[in-house]
């Protein structure tokens, strides 16, 4: 079964308790979003996700999307769900008030995203791509385009896409062939084919706004010759309503391993009318504004699926009777004990739980930085937040999605043979989780971005936004009787990260392949240290609350126990990662190509 109840108590913990000392709070522009208000927002979001989106998850997977005469039909119930979603204002939750948005903090928005992804990740892509397009248009579009398109996109009346990939080029966009010919009225005619376009065609909105990468006739070769264009499905009339059908159409929908209720389209642009967004030949700069926002969102997809998989596995392991406990019968009134009594089952459940809580703690930290980056009152705060977001974005995207798949796989394992059967529901989580490791830049590309761009940027300034708070916490709490032992473990992992950073910096300057060979291990090591830091802070807070005699003793004790499992069973991976990085590229690059 697909079981999900929004983890609202833990969400409130990471939102209101865990990171209050990070220097990213106390933002006057967000002062109206009090804990009471955000509690109401999260509670209502939970109802929508549990009552409306979750029931459509499996049925949408079974039915999928269909293409008929150039029109894509979404599965039964999606149109009504999308209407409830937009009428409730959820599409506009964190979007700019000047265009009709509610301007809620990203720290709240990411928690809502997690609930949406946990209950129906296919559905999440329709508003998710729209929000990414809005991010790019808000920064780079001219006032005319903003006024004509943003209000309807923010409301959800119109949706958006991102059209990058072509049949012959994905990561290497320098090979892009789509052309844009200038017209006499200031518009352009775009011609070319795009693939893997999420929400490229569907029946949820009255118009679809494509952001398309293309080349102008005078464009230089490579990535420096790419421009960005806004190309609507329907051209608006004088009143701003959809009118004439544009030359943009879906020629096929991809037959995918997962996300079957998300329309992933092959798009053909034939003299499609569009308008330049930003400066000529600087389209990647504008598109990466969208992609960076999407990469954090993709990480949240991994977290959402991981949480749903964990809850489904907990339900099953408490319900499934099989064998007896190794230490003696625990349920003599039953023909067998539930499998949750077995150590290996508990190992799997706690692994999922620890990954989810660790990811949630890190994502809340990054989301607070997103808010400070946009709304911080002081330049120093905005800069530090921007550095931190830049550094952690590839970690969130890659590690969260790696762990989302791992949790989905563990859930299948908990179900045993029943997990391999479609009726169980958990095999869908594995299929849906896999794509998140691929799109918006594969996880290997994220690791290369981390070691190749983010580490050396601004003479290591990005790195200091992470290293300094971790180092300061260790120094301040190493002798704390409540968490000193845990902090010592954090110190060892942090020293491994520092050592790995020095190795990559030294070797990478001489040989870029050394950095490339270490990149994936390094990203995982940084993610582990970030989680360890959040778990140590959480344990300090929980210990204090338990000593004060709070009425939520069960919650705080579980928080400490989860942290203990993480430190004893998962964080030791940091030592092996360091040794792998230290070993260098030799065994990877010396292997003869013809021997593969």
């Amino acid at each position: 079964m697909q079981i999900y109840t929004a983890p609202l108590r833990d969400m409130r913990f990471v939102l209101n308790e865990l990171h209050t000392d990070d220097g990213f709070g106390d933002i006057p522009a967000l002062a109206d979003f009090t804990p009471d208000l955000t509690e109401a927002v999260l509670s209502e979001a939970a109802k929508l996700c549990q009552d409306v989106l979750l029931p459509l998850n499996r049925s949408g997977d079974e039915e999928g999307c269909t293409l008929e005469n150039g029109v894509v039909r979404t599965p039964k119930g999606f149109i009504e769900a999308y209407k409830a979603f937009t009428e409730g204002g959820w599409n506009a939750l964190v979007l700019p008030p000047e265009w009709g948005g509610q301007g809620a903090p990203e720290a709240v928005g990411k928690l809502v995203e997690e609930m949406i992804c946990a209950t129906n990740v296919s559905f999440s892509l329709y508003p998710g791509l729209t929000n990414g397009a809005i991010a790019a248009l808000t920064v780079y579009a001219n006032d005319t385009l903003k006024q004509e398109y943003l209000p309807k996109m923010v409301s959800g009346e119109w949706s958006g896409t991102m059209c990058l990939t072509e049949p012959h080029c994905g990561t290497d966009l320098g090979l892009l062939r789509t052309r844009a010919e200038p017209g006499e009225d200031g518009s352009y005619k775009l011609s070319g084919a795009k693939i893997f376009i999420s929400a490229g065609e569907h029946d949820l909105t009255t118009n679809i706004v494509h952001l398309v990468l293309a080349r102008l006739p005078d464009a230089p070769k490579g990535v420096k010759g790419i421009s960005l264009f806004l190309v609507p499905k329907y051209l608006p009339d004088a009143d701003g309503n959809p009118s004439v059908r544009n030359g943009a159409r879906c020629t096929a929908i991809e037959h995918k391993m997962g996300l079957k209720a998300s329309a992933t389209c092959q798009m053909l642009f034939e003299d499609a009318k569009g308008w330049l967004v930003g400066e000529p030949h600087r389209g990647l700069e504008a598109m990466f504004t969208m992609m960076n926002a999407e990469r954090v969102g993709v990480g949240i997809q991994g977290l959402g699926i991981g949480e749903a998989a964990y809850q489904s596995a907990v339900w099953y392991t408490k319900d499934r009777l099989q064998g007896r406990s190794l230490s003696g019968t625990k349920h003599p009134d039953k023909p067998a004990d539930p499998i949750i009594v077995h150590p290996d089952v508990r190992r799997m459940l706690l692994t999922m739980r620890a990954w989810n809580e660790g990811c949630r703690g890190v994502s809340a930290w990054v989301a607070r930085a997103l808010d400070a980056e946009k709304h911080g009152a002081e330049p120093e705060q905005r800069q530090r937040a921007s550095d931190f977001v830049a550094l952690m974005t590839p970690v969130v995207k890659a590690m969260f999605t790696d762990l989302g798949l791992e949790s989905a796989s563990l859930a299948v394992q908990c179900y045993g043979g029943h997990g391999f059967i479609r009726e169980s529901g958990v095999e869908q989580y594995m299929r849906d989780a896999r794509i998140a490791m691929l799109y918006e830049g594969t996880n290997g590309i994220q690791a290369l971005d981390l070691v190749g761009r983010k580490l050396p940027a601004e003479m290591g300034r990005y790195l200091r936004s992470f290293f300094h708070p971790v180092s300061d916490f260790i120094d301040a709490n190493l002798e704390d009787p409540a968490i000193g032992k845990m902090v010592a473990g954090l110190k060892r992992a942090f020293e491994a990260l520092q050592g790995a950073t020095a190795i990559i910096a030294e070797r990478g300057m001489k040989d870029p392949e050394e950095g490339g060979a270490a990149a994936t291990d390094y990203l995982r090591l940084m993610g582990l240290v970030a989680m360890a830091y959040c778990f140590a802070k959480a344990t300090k807070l929980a210990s204090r609350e338990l000593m004060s005699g709070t009425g939520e003793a069960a919650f705080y004790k579980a928080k400490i126990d989860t942290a203990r499992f993480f430190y004893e069973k998962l964080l030791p991976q940091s030592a092996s990662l360091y040794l792998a990085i230290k070993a260098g590229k030799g065994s990877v690059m010396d292997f003869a190509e013809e021997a593969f």
Side-chain angles (χ1 to χ4, degrees):
M1 290 182 65
Q2 294 183 344
I3 301 294
Y4 181 78
T5 300
L8 293 176
R9 182 61 189 92
D10 199 48
M11 289 181 169
R12 293 199 303 271
F13 177 77
V14 299
L15 183 65
N16 300 322
E17 300 175 61
L18 184 59
H19 296 298
T20 56
D21 60 348
D22 61 6
F24 296 142
D26 299 322
I27 299 174
L30 300 175
D32 289 344
F33 290 90
T34 63
D36 286 345
L37 177 57
T38 56
E39 166 72 14
V41 170
L42 294 177
S43 296
E44 289 303 312
K47 293 176 184 177
L48 174 79
C49 293
Q50 293 163 192
D51 298 342
V52 178
L53 300 186
L54 182 61
L56 298 176
N57 194 42
R58 184 165 173 230
S59 62
D61 178 67
E62 294 286 343
E63 181 181 346
C65 294
T66 56
L67 175 63
E68 301 173 357
N69 300 319
V71 177
V72 170
R73 306 293 183 190
T74 54
K76 182 180 179 180
F78 268 57
I79 291 175
E80 294 78 9
Y82 186 79
K83 182 179 179 182
F85 183 84
T86 54
E87 288 182 351
W90 298 108
N91 192 72
L93 182 63
V94 299
L95 297 177
E98 63 183 304
W99 305 113
Q102 299 174 42
E106 288 286 352
V108 176
K110 294 305 175 194
L111 296 174
V112 173
E113 280 186 43
E114 180 193 330
M115 289 187 260
I116 297 169
C117 294
T119 50
N120 201 319
V121 71
S122 285
F123 180 91
S124 77
L125 292 181
Y126 295 102
L129 268 295
T130 303
N131 284 5
I134 290 168
L137 293 174
T138 300
V139 177
Y140 291 98
N142 60 41
D143 288 342
T144 299
L145 290 178
K146 289 180 183 179
Q147 291 166 8
E148 188 164 17
Y149 288 92
L150 284 181
K152 289 184 171 63
M153 294 176 72
V154 168
S155 71
E157 182 180 346
W158 294 357
S159 61
T161 75
M162 176 169 60
C163 300
L164 290 78
T165 306
E166 299 183 1
H168 59 281
C169 72
T171 299
D172 188 359
L173 289 171
L175 301 176
L176 184 144
R177 295 174 185 163
T178 300
R179 309 293 298 177
E181 298 288 341
E184 296 181 358
D185 61 354
S187 67
Y188 296 81
K189 294 291 186 182
L190 277 77
S191 298
K194 299 287 184 177
I195 61 171
F196 304 160
I197 308 305
S198 298
E201 170 64 31
H202 56 81
D203 54 3
L204 303 182
T205 61
T206 58
N207 204 357
I208 301 173
V209 181
H210 303 287
L211 294 190
V212 186
L213 290 180
R215 292 186 181 280
L216 292 166
D218 61 344
K221 294 182 179 180
V223 295
K224 294 183 178 180
I226 299 174
S227 301
L228 181 65
F229 299 87
L230 183 156
V231 182
K233 174 181 174 180
Y234 292 101
L235 298 172
D237 62 19
D239 296 321
N241 298 313
S243 178
V244 178
R245 180 68 189 259
N246 205 356
R249 60 188 178 91
C250 173
T251 56
I253 53 176
E254 306 291 355
H255 300 284
K256 309 188 297 293
M257 171 181 179
L259 294 191
K260 294 181 180 293
S262 169
T264 306
C265 302
Q266 298 176 19
M267 297 295 299
L268 183 63
F269 295 90
E270 299 175 299
D271 287 335
K273 192 170 187 177
W275 289 266
L276 183 67
V277 176
E279 299 295 323
H281 316 315
R282 297 186 65 178
L284 277 188
E285 180 182 331
M287 186 61 82
F288 270 104
T289 298
M290 181 177 187
M291 288 188 70
N292 283 333
E294 289 297 308
R295 283 170 175 169
V296 175
V298 171
I300 300 300
Q301 290 178 20
L303 170 55
I305 290 175
E307 179 65 34
Y310 164 70
Q311 291 191 27
S312 296
V314 168
W315 172 84
Y316 185 80
T317 57
K318 288 182 176 180
D319 184 73
R320 172 71 165 172
L321 304 180
Q322 196 89 140
R324 290 296 186 185
S325 168
L326 296 175
S327 60
T329 299
K330 295 293 188 291
H331 295 265
D333 58 319
K334 297 178 180 179
D337 288 333
I339 62 174
I340 198 169
V341 304
H342 301 306
D344 196 56
V345 172
R346 286 173 168 255
R347 174 192 63 82
M348 291 188 286
L349 294 176
L350 281 165
T351 297
M352 289 186 271
R353 182 187 180 100
W355 288 145
N356 292 335
E357 290 191 15
C359 287
R360 190 173 296 117
V362 174
S363 69
W365 190 13
V366 174
R368 284 171 61 90
L370 285 168
D371 286 324
E373 181 183 25
K374 289 195 297 184
H375 304 294
E378 300 297 330
E380 185 278 331
Q381 184 190 42
R382 294 195 298 273
Q383 184 63 68
R384 186 169 62 86
S386 179
D387 293 349
F388 184 69
V389 169
L391 179 74
M392 296 303 293
T393 291
V395 178
V396 169
K397 193 280 182 185
M399 189 164 183
F400 286 23
T401 56
D402 283 348
L403 298 180
L405 180 68
E406 181 178 332
S407 292
S409 180
L410 287 172
V412 171
Q413 192 72 18
C414 287
Y415 274 67
H418 291 284
F420 200 67
I421 304 301
R422 289 181 68 89
E423 284 75 12
S424 73
V426 291
E427 58 85 34
Q428 182 187 345
Y429 293 134
M430 275 198 75
R431 292 185 288 103
D432 285 353
R434 192 59 184 86
I435 184 58
M437 302 164 72
L438 302 175
Y439 56 22
E440 308 304 342
T442 65
N443 287 0
I445 293 295
Q446 303 305 312
L448 288 174
D449 176 55
L450 178 64
V451 302
R453 293 193 181 119
K454 303 304 172 56
L455 295 194
E458 304 295 336
M459 300 298 289
R461 193 184 73 205
Y462 291 2
L463 202 60
R464 292 193 289 274
S465 70
F466 175 63
F467 275 23
H468 285 181
V470 175
S471 179
D472 291 345
F473 181 84
I474 292 171
D475 291 343
N477 294 281
L478 196 57
E479 304 301 324
D480 188 319
I483 63 169
K485 182 179 178 180
M486 189 174 287
V487 175
L490 171 60
K491 184 174 186 290
R492 288 191 294 271
F494 183 52
E495 287 173 346
L497 179 62
Q498 290 175 305
T501 304
I503 290 170
I504 291 173
E506 179 183 358
R507 295 177 182 174
M509 291 183 66
K510 301 173 184 176
D511 183 355
E513 286 185 345
E514 284 286 355
T520 293
D521 291 332
Y522 183 83
L523 185 146
R524 174 63 69 99
L525 179 55
M526 181 174 284
L528 283 171
V529 172
M531 287 187 187
Y533 170 68
C534 290
F535 272 122
K537 289 182 68 178
T539 301
K540 182 176 182 177
L541 290 168
S543 299
R544 186 177 64 201
E545 291 295 328
L546 285 177
M547 289 180 64
S548 70
T550 176
E552 295 183 285
F555 171 79
Y556 287 112
K557 185 179 186 305
K559 181 64 65 176
I560 294 171
D561 291 343
T562 304
R564 177 189 171 194
F565 175 86
F566 173 85
Y567 267 83
E568 292 182 0
K569 298 296 187 180
L570 300 178
L571 186 59
Q573 295 175 14
S574 60
S576 61
L577 290 167
Y578 172 71
L579 292 175
I581 292 167
K582 188 178 179 181
K585 74 168 190 175
S587 62
V588 176
M589 301 308 297
D590 292 345
F591 196 86
E593 184 174 333
E594 58 271 16
F596 279 102

